[in-house]
């Protein structure tokens, strides 16, 4: 945990920021929030349902197949896109 207090590490509300990429349900958010013990600012990949017993501090959306992903009131992501070897760009 020593490295998160370095000035280069992002902080929100005085807490080190951590992004969680996950596949799952609210159990993921509940586990991370319990583990953070309110010492981390936890941002979890948006789940199908954001109505969790222990919601994260914020949500992010991961969508590299789209140039812009706007989740009203939750996140705004800009991606240059992604291309696969077997598909045209």
């Amino acid at each position: 945990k020593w490295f998160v207090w370095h000035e280069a590490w992002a902080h929100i509300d005085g807490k080190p920021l951590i992004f969680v990429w996950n596949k799952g349900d609210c159990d993921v958010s509940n586990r991370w929030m319990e583990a953070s013990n309110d010492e981390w600012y936890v941002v979890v990949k948006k789940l199908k349902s954001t109505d969790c017993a222990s919601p994260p501090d914020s949500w992010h959306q991961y969508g590299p197949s789209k140039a812009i992903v706007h989740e009203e009131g939750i996140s705004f992501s800009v991606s240059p896109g992604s291309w696969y070897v077997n598909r045209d760009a």
Side-chain angles (χ1 to χ4, degrees):
K1 188 162 127 169
W2 63 270
F3 56 88
V4 302
W5 302 114
H6 189 277
E7 63 186 34
W9 193 281
H11 289 80
I12 296 179
D13 297 335
K15 301 175 189 178
L17 171 65
I18 188 164
F19 284 87
V20 179
W21 188 91
N22 55 282
K23 289 185 179 179
D25 54 21
C26 284
D27 187 48
V28 170
S29 176
N30 298 341
R31 286 194 322 265
W32 273 91
M33 292 310 291
E34 181 180 346
S36 77
N37 198 31
D38 203 35
E39 295 177 6
W40 293 75
Y41 192 91
V42 181
V43 182
V44 174
K45 180 183 172 292
K46 187 173 175 273
L47 306 170
K48 289 181 183 177
S49 171
T50 56
D51 187 26
C52 299
S54 296
D57 296 300
S58 192
W59 301 95
H60 72 91
Q61 183 56 284
Y62 181 79
S65 63
K66 297 180 182 178
I68 296 174
V69 178
H70 184 197
E71 297 289 332
E72 190 72 37
I74 296 174
S75 71
F76 188 92
S77 301
V78 178
S79 174
S82 63
W83 293 271
Y84 297 92
V85 170
N86 61 349
R87 285 199 254 167
D88 292 335

